[in-house]
């Protein structure tokens, strides 16, 4: 006696049913098992070749299978329809675009500072920090600014009391670091500094500096130049040219400002470099023996160099930014470009 292979057909159907999760795949299920040319139809078709006495039993078996397919198909269809309905209910519109989660970015000043930090830490420098409210002693006196000397007016100081102020530069952290450690000293100091300046495209009352200090036995001007030239090339590209110009700072002797070839015009001359081909990057010098004495280091034994630069200025140079105030406005149209 020939009978349809109900067990296996049911298994096949069950596994197809499991994958029928939407209206389209449920329709495909119906076509395969219950359609005009489907499995049930072809079983019925094959019945006509059976001997008459076998037909009733075979037919009954096909009917059982058909009922099984039908019931399961219909309940799957019902379920999918009701899900579709709840998807399209008034408080859920599945055609609306998703809510975009926007990631924040690091502020351009933070990005440039982190790059500088990277360069100097690879050279063996560590980060030191100091307070933004300073005493006159750390901000000026210990740095060899003579009492009542006009050099103190080089930086328009915001005083809090007669002898406390918002620091005008990060150099006082040189003093604090040397007082609390013994040489060798190799630090970089990031931080906010304050000056009572008229706000304009080029200057702001608060900005950020990075100070550097290297003290050890036998440190010379050659170390200063080697370190700072290497820094400039890592920051601005190996093609950048550098030059040192003699300058004056009370806490260094000799002092020099370092220029780099204009990164906008590559030294040819443009508006950014005022047609000189050069941009001032930093101030530097060999630490004055008086400063070493003020922190109890013997200048006969130890020597070293220091430098300072403005992070805003450097960032403006690098990207050709024309107005320092963009950094503090919080305007996303500016910030998103970095
Ligand atoms: N403190 C100086 C300023 O704010 C910058 C500077 C110049 C720092 C020379 C230094 C240095 O350490 O050696 O203008």
């Amino acid at each position: 006696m020939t009978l349809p292979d109900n067990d296996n057909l049911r298994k096949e159907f069950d596994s197809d049913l499991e994958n029928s999760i939407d209206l389209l795949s449920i329709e495909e299920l119906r076509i395969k098992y219950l359609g005009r040319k489907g499995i049930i139809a072809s079983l019925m078709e094959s019945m006509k070749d059976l001997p008459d006495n076998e037909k009733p039993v075979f037919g009954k078996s096909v009917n059982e299978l058909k009922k099984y397919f039908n019931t399961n198909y219909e309940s799957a269809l019902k379920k999918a329809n009701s899900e579709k309905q709840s998807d399209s209910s008034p408080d859920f519109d599945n055609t609306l675009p998703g809510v975009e989660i926007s990631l924040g970015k690091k502020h351009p000043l933070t990005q440039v500072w982190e790059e500088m930090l990277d360069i100097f830490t690879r050279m063996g420098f560590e980060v030191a920090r100091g307070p933004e409210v300073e005493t006159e002693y750390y901000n000026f006196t210990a740095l060899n600014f003579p009492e009542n000397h006009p050099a103190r007016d080089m930086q328009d100081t915001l005083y809090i009391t007669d002898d406390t102020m918002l620091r005008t530069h990060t150099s006082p952290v040189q003093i604090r670091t040397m007082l609390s450690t013994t040489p060798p000293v190799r630090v970089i100091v990031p931080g906010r500094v304050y000056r009572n300046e008229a706000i304009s495209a080029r200057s702001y009352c608060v900005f950020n500096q990075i100070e550097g200090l290297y003290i050890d036995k036998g440190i010379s001007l050659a170390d200063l130049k080697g370190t700072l030239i290497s820094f400039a090339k890592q920051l601005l590209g190996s093609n950048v040219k550098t030059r040192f110009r003699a300058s004056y700072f009370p806490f260094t002797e000799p002092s020099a400002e370092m220029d780099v070839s204009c990164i906008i015009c590559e030294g040819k001359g443009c508006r950014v470099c005022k047609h000189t081909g050069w941009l001032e990057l930093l101030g530097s010098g060999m630490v004055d023996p008086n400063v070493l004495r003020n922190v109890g280091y013997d200048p006969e034994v130890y020597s070293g160099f220091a430098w300072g630069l403005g992070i805003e200025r450097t960032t403006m140079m690098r990207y050709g930014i024309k107005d320092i105030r963009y950094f503090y406005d919080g305007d996303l149209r500016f910030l998103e470009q970095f």
Side-chain angles (χ1 to χ4, degrees), residues 161-232:
T161 64
D162 279 351
D163 62 355
T164 54
M165 60 190 66
L166 292 171
R167 67 179 176 192
T168 56
H169 52 177
T170 42
S171 304
V173 188
Q174 288 189 29
I175 305 298
R176 292 181 175 275
T177 307
M178 289 190 280
L179 283 173
S180 62
T181 43
T182 48
V185 176
R186 229 183 277 122
V187 289
I188 49 168
V189 183
R192 229 175 291 178
V193 302
Y194 301 83
R195 290 188 195 179
N196 188 14
E197 278 182 30
I199 292 169
S200 72
R202 302 245 113 223
S203 61
Y204 205 69
C205 50
V206 47
F207 57 98
N208 291 272
Q209 287 188 330
I210 295 189
E211 189 83 13
L213 176 70
Y214 188 177
I215 308 281
D216 204 351
K217 289 178 184 156
I219 302 297
S220 72
L221 196 62
D223 296 301
L224 177 156
K225 289 183 77 177
T227 306
L228 297 180
I229 291 171
S230 164
F231 162 66

Side-chain angles (χ1 to χ4, degrees), residues 3 5 22 44 59 89 111 115 153 156 193 199 203 206 210 214 220 261 270 281 299 319 329 338:
L3 279 177
D5 186 1
D22 54 15
M44 287 300 208
S89 69
Q111 291 183 30
E115 244 179 85
D153 301 334
D156 307 282
V193 302
I199 292 169
S203 61
V206 47
I210 295 189
Y214 188 177
S220 72
S261 52
C270 68
L281 180 64
Y319 295 113
D329 283 348
F338 299 91

Side-chain angles (χ1 to χ4, degrees), residues 200-202 316 321-327 334:
S200 72
R202 302 245 113 223
M316 287 169 78
I321 296 165
K322 293 205 179 73
D323 196 316
I324 192 170
R325 290 168 289 197
Y326 283 132
F327 291 122
F334 171 74

